[in-house]
Amino acid sequence: MKFRLLLALLVLPLGAQTTPFGTRVSDPAAAPTTITAPAAAPAAAPAAAPAAAPAAGGVSDEFVDNSVQVSPFRPTLLPEAKSTRTFQLSKLNRLGSTETTRELQRLYSAFATQSIVDGSPAGSSKAVGYLTTVTYSILQDLGDNRYLAKAAWPASGPNEALAPGVDTMALLLLEKPAKAGDTGKITGMHVGTVSVLFTPDFAPLKGRRLTLRREAFLECATLEDSPAGLQRFVEAIVAGAELSATTNETIPCKKCGGLGFTREAQKGQLLDKRVPCADCASTGKLIISVETKFVP
Ligand SMILES: [Zn+2]
């Protein structure tokens, strides 16, 4: 699934490119020392300029290489859930059970925001990257519904695993064709960082062949968080679908037993010394990622 989505963003290079960036671009694993693209594109221009023009001394009108290469650079990594539990539908609202209607609704809301509508038999699949709202203004059409855009998005994921973007360039894979200058807002799934080798056709980088490493987002639709959506979700579980939702849950700190401190015996003293618990920053609570699996 993830591989397929990423492939959608990429164009495999046809034959060797003679750019000095060529080998590095095609071998992202060998590129840890090249994470150099600064956030502001204009600042990247001087570094990239020597490699850009075919003729020395600037941009040549004779030959402009407009081919585009997009290579995976750093895949998106979703955190593994620290703990798992099950939610048993048959126990719903039974006395003393934790399976309540309210809890089911809360978990379904999480499930809906972590799933994307697609052409799979179930109609949706688990999102393989963080979902966020991306506001964009298209800078350049890179072909195959891929666009370089000036974009902004809020942080997403636990502990803001996906950092927010503010007026930054990003690569977007849109559902519908667009053109430079178009603006809009999409639900985007973060598919990692990609390396884009292209020739900008916008100022101030126009005509300079360069490589940018940018966050990439795939336009997608999330499941509907509605009673009807919840109904279909329950029916799917009863029919045997293996579904789960990941949420952050607050649990008592194991190290200090939820007290926020541990005790240390003091020689010759009646009272123990209280040592603040570092694990939970003396709060007595921990927030952990929990995967809840749903069973009939
Ligand atoms: Zn603690």
Side-chain angles (χ1 to χ4, degrees), residues 253 256 277 280:
C253 174
C256 63
C277 178
C280 61

Side-chain angles (χ1 to χ4, degrees), residues 124-144:
S124 69
S125 339
K126 205 179 182 85
V128 293
Y130 298 110
L131 293 160
T132 189
T133 303
V134 182
T135 309
Y136 66 84
S137 169
I138 305 278
L139 289 168
Q140 186 168 340
D141 182 349
L142 299 178
D144 301 321

